[in-house]
Amino acid sequence: MSEVTVTLPDGSTLEMEQGSTVEDVAFEIGPGLGRDTVAGVVDGELVDKHAPIEADVELEIVTPSADEYLDVLRHSAAHVFAQALERRYPEAKLTIGPWTDDGFYYDIAGVDLDEDDLEAIEEEAHDIIEADLDIERDMVPRDEAFDRYEDNRFKREILEDEAAGEDPVQFYQQGEFYDLCQGPHVESTGEIGGFSLLEISGAYWRGEEDNEMLTRVYGTAFPSEDDLEEFLEQRRKAQERDHRKIGQEMDLFSIDETTGPGLPLYHPNGKTILNELSDYVAGLNRQNDYREVETPHVFRTELWKKSGHYENYVDDMFLLDVNDEEYGLKPMNCPGHATIFDQGQWSYRDLPVRYFEDGKVYRKEQRGELSGLSRVWSFTIDDGHLFVRPDQIEDEVEAIIDIILDILDTFELDYTVQFATRPDKSVGSDEIWERAESQLESVLDSADMEYVVEDGDGAFYGPKIDFAFEDALGRDWDGPTVQLDFNMPERFDLTYVGEDNEEHRPVMIHRALYGSYERFFMVLTEHYNGKFPTWLAPEQVRILPISDDHIPYAEEIKRELGDYRVTIEERSWTVKKKIRQAHEDLVPYMLILGDDEESEGTISVRDRKEREANDVDPTAFREHLDDEVGAQRIEPDFLD
């Protein structure tokens, strides 16, 4: 039998017989490691410890101390849920139950569940965990596998598709329960220390809207109860900061099924914040010699075919039939910008050419994946496209990263950086890709930035640098991006005249400084917990006259504050109630006006941190607002 080479994380290698399993390799390294082996990571893919190795591979052994162990544990927890469900609801039809970053889910049919049913299922699951049932791998003849699922068309479909040609077929069994599964799993149900079911939602079978709607049950699991409690507390805090909840309380936005799912409606308060964000980034663009353009919401689909997006995005596009001609709502802005560049005559001296646009785009996400502002059908990208000479790439990318870092600093957002390299499916020569990757990496290294290399995660048209926001709860969200593109200039036949009077092909740089306004708005709402910096707050100052007699003085103070967003609380409430309501509305500053203030020509200032100062000169307060808002400081600090 031939041998295969197994490369371990430390770079050492082992020669093993072809067909040896992950567990065999672990025992070859040492009996202790062999006994502790739970699974393996083969060429980046998490696999069962019984998986055979048929070719040269890179292998990492997964033990209970490895990061991947939690994924294996949660996969087993999904089976525990499924077993508990079948005990309580024998008529349930199981479909798929993978692990996720936060736990697991299982999609089911044939049973009507709601949130109130989860407690009883969870109790049953805890009994299964306490029973410490062995989880055993079982290879079943293909005909018998189909017989097992005679009444479950979903599992039979998996047998026909994902498991096509497999004979025997791999199952896992614990007690009376069995499930068609590729694994991996822990040794027994007792390894699950903390288990909880979280919520129910709907999901289409295989994510296709034309398929049957299933019930999706989410859960999570941890090696210990303490880990679970920590997670649940973090989740509770996240729910308190949920942008959908805060958005409703602060009247920022809504998504109404009557207007369409995934189509946000921004109310005046929310639009105020969007305008401030747009003005801020537009100022940065102009400072860096970007020129603003505007493209329509809809184009003939010939444009998307020309750019290459049609073949990749057509299933996610909203298509229209106009006079027997196909149009599409734009899923991205870049083809429009490329068309604008193509309509000019450019010399090498003119480059770089930099365009920016707050461009509305439309992508038809699956309904089950829509979630507040994080996944929508309609969103706005703070888009920028640069057309540069190859020798300008490094300087331009460096300048873009400087802008991004300024933004992250302004909002006091933590972040991580990923450098994504050439994917298997790509366009362009090896020489172009090697040069582009080298240039991007050089920029990151010169900036002394920490980053993670994501091999093969670049766009098909070029490598990219991605920034992920880390919010106040430590969650990561996609944000700014810088991407090199050699594909679109070729497809659009973009050229400039070089110093040699010959035509040359520019390189296109895609960049977004926020990512999208919707997701950035979501991140800020949850990061600040609705307590927006004064410069962003939809209502910056609320004047609280103690009685109606003080309203004229309140109007005078409002005029003195000029263009700031100031309201007067005119309802016939006690001043105590007015203050309480202003705090609940998270207004940065409250000005309390009574007889003493009016007679002295002063104001009493209170902030949302419940600090207060009396006998304040209105001019001094106005000057502080000018300074605080102009500097875009995060917290109201007049009373510091």
Side-chain angles (χ1 to χ4, degrees):
M1 181 176 289
S2 60
E3 290 188 336
V4 294
T5 300
V6 177
T7 303
L8 302 175
D10 64 0
S12 63
T13 60
L14 287 175
E15 299 299 321
M16 300 290 297
E17 286 190 3
Q18 186 178 27
S20 298
T21 67
V22 169
E23 188 176 43
D24 291 336
V25 176
F27 272 108
E28 181 70 19
I29 297 170
L33 183 63
R35 289 190 295 270
D36 290 342
T37 296
V38 176
V41 179
V42 175
D43 290 338
E45 181 182 355
L46 186 60
V47 300
D48 187 276
K49 67 180 180 181
H50 302 291
I53 298 172
E54 302 292 354
D56 295 347
V57 297
E58 293 183 359
L59 171 65
E60 178 184 348
I61 303 297
V62 176
T63 66
S65 62
D67 292 341
E68 294 82 2
Y69 175 73
L70 193 56
D71 295 335
V72 180
L73 185 80
R74 287 170 170 172
H75 194 187
S76 301
H79 279 212
V80 168
F81 159 75
Q83 183 177 10
L85 177 75
E86 286 193 338
R87 285 184 178 182
R88 294 278 179 164
Y89 300 92
E91 70 276 19
K93 299 289 186 292
L94 301 175
T95 66
I96 58 172
W99 70 82
T100 67
D101 288 342
D102 291 330
F104 64 87
Y105 69 79
Y106 217 117
D107 289 346
I108 55 176
V111 61
D112 185 20
L113 296 178
D114 58 36
E115 302 283 349
D116 293 336
D117 298 316
L118 295 186
E119 184 177 354
I121 299 171
E122 187 173 312
E123 287 179 4
E124 192 71 55
H126 283 296
D127 289 343
I128 293 168
I129 292 169
E130 191 165 340
D132 195 19
L133 302 175
D134 290 337
I135 302 176
E136 299 176 322
R137 178 172 172 265
D138 187 19
M139 302 305 294
V140 176
R142 188 169 182 81
D143 289 344
E144 182 181 333
F146 274 97
D147 290 342
R148 287 187 175 192
Y149 291 122
E150 182 179 1
D151 298 324
N152 187 329
R153 68 176 182 84
F154 304 101
K155 293 292 190 183
R156 292 175 70 90
E157 188 174 318
I158 293 172
L159 283 167
E160 291 168 350
D161 293 341
E162 287 86 346
E166 293 183 15
D167 195 3
V169 181
Q170 184 167 285
F171 280 72
Y172 280 86
Q173 184 154 353
Q174 57 203 45
E176 82 287 355
F177 174 78
Y178 59 82
D179 200 359
L180 172 67
C181 183
Q182 288 297 314
H185 289 283
V186 296
E187 293 293 327
S188 72
T189 60
E191 289 191 36
I192 302 170
F195 178 96
S196 180
L197 298 180
L198 302 175
E199 60 187 358
I200 288 179
S201 70
Y204 292 104
W205 169 234
R206 296 192 182 281
E208 298 292 337
E209 289 190 25
D210 294 337
N211 289 341
E212 181 177 342
M213 175 65 77
L214 306 175
T215 298
R216 175 170 292 180
V217 178
Y218 288 94
T220 193
F222 290 89
S224 73
E225 190 68 30
D226 288 345
D227 291 336
L228 174 64
E229 290 303 319
E230 182 179 341
F231 167 84
L232 294 176
E233 175 63 15
Q234 189 83 343
R235 188 170 185 268
R236 182 190 64 77
K237 290 178 180 179
Q239 289 172 335
E240 288 178 358
R241 290 174 176 258
D242 191 307
H243 72 286
R244 292 166 293 188
K245 171 178 173 287
I246 295 172
Q248 183 176 18
E249 293 169 349
M250 296 185 68
D251 196 25
L252 302 178
F253 73 94
S254 61
I255 298 176
D256 195 312
E257 283 294 321
T258 60
T259 60
L263 302 172
L265 303 171
Y266 288 100
H267 300 197
N269 286 347
K271 183 59 178 175
T272 296
I273 296 173
L274 285 179
N275 285 341
E276 291 288 351
L277 293 173
S278 179
D279 289 346
Y280 168 54
V281 81
L284 293 175
N285 280 317
R286 293 188 178 101
Q287 289 170 25
N288 288 275
D289 297 323
Y290 285 76
R291 300 171 66 189
E292 188 169 14
V293 298
E294 183 174 323
T295 57
H297 293 245
V298 61
F299 286 105
R300 294 174 59 205
T301 53
E302 290 304 312
L303 180 72
W304 310 114
K305 293 174 183 177
K306 184 176 182 180
S307 70
H309 288 104
Y310 190 88
E311 58 194 270
N312 292 296
Y313 280 94
V314 65
D315 291 339
D316 297 325
M317 290 179 64
F318 292 92
L319 300 177
L320 309 170
D321 187 335
V322 181
N323 297 327
D324 296 327
E325 193 170 14
E326 189 177 57
Y327 284 73
L329 293 176
K330 61 177 178 179
M332 62 279 299
N333 301 299
C334 38
H337 293 191
T339 301
I340 293 172
F341 180 87
D342 189 35
Q343 291 170 351
Q345 300 291 325
W346 305 101
S347 160
Y348 70 96
R349 295 186 183 93
D350 299 318
L351 272 56
V353 172
R354 309 180 185 95
Y355 297 143
F356 81 95
E357 174 184 15
D358 282 349
K360 184 77 73 176
V361 297
Y362 304 84
R363 297 180 191 174
K364 191 169 58 178
E365 304 277 1
Q366 298 294 335
R367 280 177 178 249
E369 296 177 350
L370 300 175
S371 178
L373 297 178
S374 64
R375 296 292 291 269
V376 290
W377 278 355
S378 169
F379 57 98
T380 303
I381 302 176
D382 66 313
D383 230 338
H385 293 96
L386 300 83
F387 302 87
V388 305
R389 303 191 309 263
D391 63 286
Q392 295 172 321
I393 290 174
E394 200 163 327
D395 286 343
E396 290 302 309
V397 171
E398 184 176 331
I400 293 168
I401 289 177
D402 285 343
I403 302 173
I404 290 171
L405 295 179
D406 283 346
I407 290 173
L408 296 172
D409 183 60
T410 294
F411 294 100
E412 294 188 1
L413 289 167
D414 293 329
Y415 61 92
T416 57
V417 182
Q418 294 83 41
F419 169 46
T421 62
R422 185 176 190 173
D424 292 336
K425 181 181 179 182
S426 60
V427 297
S429 68
D430 292 344
E431 180 183 357
I432 288 176
W433 272 89
E434 288 168 7
R435 180 175 180 183
E437 289 177 355
S438 174
Q439 287 174 308
L440 289 188
E441 199 158 23
S442 175
V443 171
L444 291 171
D445 292 338
S446 297
D448 199 25
M449 298 183 69
E450 293 185 7
Y451 61 92
V452 175
V453 177
E454 299 288 353
D455 288 322
D457 278 355
F460 73 93
Y461 47 73
K464 59 179 181 171
I465 299 170
D466 289 329
F467 291 75
F469 299 121
E470 184 177 305
D471 67 13
L473 295 175
R475 299 169 300 178
D476 289 334
W477 302 96
D478 291 340
T481 186
V482 187
Q483 306 175 359
L484 297 188
D485 184 353
F486 309 100
N487 175 57
M488 202 169 301
E490 188 75 31
R491 284 178 171 268
F492 280 76
D493 193 24
L494 305 181
T495 61
Y496 65 91
V497 177
E499 198 170 0
D500 58 0
N501 288 323
E502 299 292 330
E503 287 191 341
H504 297 268
R505 189 80 68 204
V507 177
M508 191 172 178
I509 301 177
H510 306 244
R511 50 108 276 206
L513 304 178
Y514 292 147
S516 78
Y517 279 91
E518 280 67 21
R519 183 161 289 175
F520 193 68
F521 196 167
M522 177 206 73
V523 168
L524 293 184
T525 301
E526 298 189 355
H527 184 73
Y528 298 135
N529 201 14
K531 298 175 182 176
F532 291 99
T534 304
W535 71 277
L536 278 179
E539 183 182 1
Q540 295 167 317
V541 180
R542 185 177 297 180
I543 301 176
L544 312 179
I546 290 177
S547 72
D548 290 350
D549 293 339
H550 305 112
I551 290 178
Y553 183 52
E555 291 171 343
E556 179 183 330
I557 295 298
K558 180 178 179 180
R559 285 192 296 273
E560 189 166 338
L561 292 177
D563 293 333
Y564 287 105
R565 296 185 286 275
V566 182
T567 61
I568 299 174
E569 177 57 87
E570 297 187 3
R571 286 175 286 195
S572 299
W573 289 351
T574 65
V575 69
K576 185 176 181 180
K577 184 175 181 180
K578 290 179 180 180
I579 291 172
R580 183 170 64 248
Q581 185 61 54
H583 277 297
E584 290 177 1
D585 293 341
L586 305 178
V587 181
Y589 289 109
M590 292 142 266
L591 307 184
I592 303 167
L593 307 181
D595 289 340
D596 292 343
E597 287 79 14
E598 185 168 3
S599 64
E600 297 293 331
T602 62
I603 57 178
S604 291
V605 181
R606 185 181 178 95
D607 66 17
R608 64 184 175 213
K609 296 182 179 180
E610 302 187 13
R611 301 176 298 183
E612 190 169 354
N614 301 318
D615 303 322
V616 174
D617 179 4
T619 301
F621 178 69
R622 165 63 191 263
E623 290 174 349
H624 177 84
L625 274 184
D626 292 344
D627 181 54
E628 179 185 320
V629 170
Q632 298 172 314
R633 292 198 286 274
I634 297 298
E635 292 289 351
D637 55 10
F638 179 75
L639 299 173
D640 282 359

